[in-house]
Amino acid sequence: MKTLGHWLVSPWRRSAVAAVAGALPVLAFPAPSLWWFAYVALVPWIALVRTAPTGRRAAFDGWWGGFGFMLAMHHWLLPNLHVFTFVLAALLGALWAPWGWLVRRLLGGVPSRGRVAAALVVLPSAWLTAELVRSWEALGGPWGVLGASQWQVTAALRLASVGGVWLLSFLVVLLNVAVAVLFVVRRARVPAVAGLVAVGVATSVAWVGAPVAQADGRTRIAVVQPGVVSGPDSANRRFDREERLTRGLAGQDVDLVVWGESSVGFDLGARPDLARRLAVLSRATGAEILVNVDARRSDRPGIYKSSVLVGPDGLTGDRYDKMRLVPFGEYIPARSLLGWATSVGEAAGEDRRRGTEQVVMDAGGGLRIGPMVCFESAFPDMSRNLAGDGADVLVAQSSTSTFQQSWAPEQHASLAALRAAETGRPMVHATLTGVSAVHGPDGVRVGPWLGTDASTARVYDVPLAHGTTPYVRFGDWPLHAALLVLAAWGATEGIRSVRLRRRPAPEPRAPHARTAHGSPARPGR
């Protein structure tokens, strides 16, 4: 009877198993949201990679697992990017090849206690490095960072205020490594248990010492979600619906009204009639309105996506032009080489233009807001910068209407919890078609989410807080620590290798003398 080991001798079978194992962590994210599964989701992948016959094969297992993870995390892109989704997954999956090599190097065979102890810090650090590289905007940004799976765990959100989502990723990978050692490398249970205890103590201390966001005020913010509006003249019909929903907010004592991404399909400088209608709405509701314009500008060349604040007297002059664009959706990286993507999917036919700086806007009544557009809410540094610049409320205007029947809307909305917890500032995630969400300064949900079937305007009582979290103060220190860990381990391994090469080879043992009868001579005889 063939064992699993024999079955995995085939490289293609092994690669398929690695891809499936790598895809498992996606179940911890919305929509399944099995957050607890993240603590063991990497164990099958680790168990497979450590048995690789060579370091080269382990790197391939890491690559295939990364491919499976990226494909599962972005599977909802398939109807739009088609075959290019697989190309992107293969490109990003390569970032886990070094991680796979390290898994075998540290946990292969029967690892010593020292190797297990090193694995508990080196492997999470290598994972964090892969997440750092893929967080580059042109590679898709930090969507699906492993720590983001913990968005609804109160204790994890508090830890996010200390080290951001990066600290959560590090701890989740560390737990997986320890569990894998406990169940797969039984002779090394002692260091695994010791590592778990040490992490438990360290995280408990960090959790107890982390400042709790204390509400020191409240504001009433309305989210206008028009729902799906498609077909001919959709831009005008969407505006009409948003106008009608906003008018219903009159008399509800709101401080700010937020529309979603691409809520206005015309440049307001070229359409003063629309600007006047927005001003009338602002007077009727008693609040300024943050809209999002997706149009070719009349005052400069190119198409921009811009957060624009409108008050009772019209345009206030506050405007934020989106800085980080969605690759292929809003621009094509290296268009001269990859422009063919427009022929196989719904890639951008014309590149959007970029803004140059983040903006904190005065929304009246002393309320300062920090706008972001679409997947900019996935970047922790952007919300951190806005909080440091004095924003009272973070606002993300988004539209996932293209992906209504997928996991994308809920994945996107969940990011608001992390950004709020990291910065100690409430966050409003307003979309055209759902999911819209509001989270308080501790990351906990405020009021209900507006699902993809909702067409409504809803008012949220949002708590305000103005303390400074350790993450805002110290930034991405877990990433810096991870790079230092890898550098220290690499230096240690290099020194050990040099010493082994310099160590003199043992002299060959002299053969035993033999007697006349042919038997070996024995000492003392």
Side-chain angles (χ1 to χ4, degrees), residues 243-257:
E243 183 179 36
R244 183 174 67 255
L245 292 171
T246 303
R247 193 177 295 116
L249 297 170
Q252 296 194 42
D253 192 29
V254 296
D255 300 308
L256 176 69
V257 179

Side-chain angles (χ1 to χ4, degrees), residues 290-356:
L290 185 70
V291 301
N292 187 270
V293 177
D294 183 2
R296 193 175 302 279
R297 289 183 63 161
S298 57
D299 59 341
R300 63 180 64 175
I303 302 174
Y304 288 80
K305 280 193 176 180
S306 306
S307 300
V308 178
L309 194 63
V310 183
D313 298 321
L315 300 177
T316 64
D318 282 334
R319 179 187 188 109
Y320 166 66
D321 296 323
K322 185 178 182 181
M323 297 171 60
R324 295 181 181 172
L325 304 177
V326 179
F328 299 99
E330 294 171 338
Y331 82 106
I332 297 183
R335 182 176 285 271
S336 60
L337 296 176
L338 302 177
W340 57 269
T342 59
S343 63
V344 297
E346 298 177 15
E350 177 182 349
D351 292 349
R352 283 349 188 230
R353 301 296 181 93
R354 300 174 186 273
T356 57

Side-chain angles (χ1 to χ4, degrees), residues 393-451:
V393 178
L394 304 174
V395 179
Q397 297 173 293
S398 177
S399 171
T400 50
S401 54
T402 306
F403 312 106
Q404 282 295 92
Q405 308 305 320
S406 73
W407 295 351
E410 289 183 325
Q411 284 184 15
H412 200 178
S414 69
L415 296 175
L418 291 157
R419 302 294 87 85
E422 289 168 342
T423 59
R425 298 292 184 271
M427 183 160 180
V428 176
H429 179 81
T431 73
L432 284 184
T433 58
V435 172
S436 296
V438 177
H439 289 263
D442 55 359
V444 176
R445 184 188 303 180
V446 176
W449 279 14
L450 301 181

Side-chain angles (χ1 to χ4, degrees), residues 175-196:
L175 284 172
N176 276 272
V177 173
V179 171
V181 171
L182 285 174
F183 285 94
V184 181
V185 194
R186 297 184 178 182
R187 296 183 184 180
R189 284 177 172 176
V190 173
V193 171
L196 285 174

